Amino acid sequence: MARKHSKHDPYGDLDREDEVPATAVTCWLCGRPTGKTIVWHHPVPKSRGGRDVVPMHPICQQTLIANFTNSELQRHGMDVEGLLAHPNVRKFVDWVANKAPDFTATTAKKQR
Ligand SMILES: [Zn+2]
């Protein structure tokens, strides 16, 4: 079931530019590579004295914000496993696993 881009460009190897940075940035929450937009998320909210930041997808950050209060985020801190233990977050990560890195959805939007 692997989908491959079929290459029909005979000069593809000559002037191919690597768009992927040498150091791939992976999302703190879901572990997928980040897309064009990287959100630098404070695992401990800035307002609670958090200084460390981690790279995340915008949609992953939205999920955290939607499911945790600042106090809860502060309590979990850098413990992403604790966040993943939340059923809603677990469900989201499993769901988003097959989406493109740049996939964004307005999670707040009502689904019909
Ligand atoms: Zn993510």
Side-chain angles (χ1 to χ4, degrees):
M1 285 285 283
R3 275 183 299 174
K4 284 181 182 175
H5 293 287
S6 52
K7 280 187 196 166
H8 293 292
D9 180 2
Y11 304 108
D13 284 329
L14 291 178
D15 59 356
R16 189 177 55 190
E17 284 181 30
D18 278 331
E19 291 175 7
V20 182
T23 310
V25 178
T26 52
C27 174
W28 184 62
L29 185 71
C30 72
R32 294 178 306 142
T34 50
K36 286 192 213 80
T37 308
I38 299 173
V39 172
W40 294 96
H41 170 72
H42 286 75
V44 177
K46 249 192 294 190
S47 59
R48 305 279 172 140
R51 278 171 301 178
D52 294 326
V53 289
V54 292
M56 283 182 75
H57 297 103
I59 193 175
C60 292
Q61 187 189 39
Q62 279 171 27
T63 300
L64 285 190
I65 291 168
N67 288 286
F68 295 97
T69 64
N70 272 1
S71 300
E72 287 169 328
L73 289 174
Q74 181 186 20
R75 188 156 46 82
H76 286 291
M78 293 297 285
D79 178 22
V80 72
E81 295 299 327
L83 298 173
L84 288 170
H86 191 292
N88 286 356
V89 175
R90 184 73 257 168
K91 221 166 85 178
F92 164 79
V93 169
D94 289 344
W95 170 76
V96 85
N98 298 318
K99 306 282 188 251
D102 281 314
F103 173 80
T104 55
T106 308
T107 46
K109 214 180 254 177
K110 279 184 194 163
Q111 290 183 357
R112 299 174 167 243

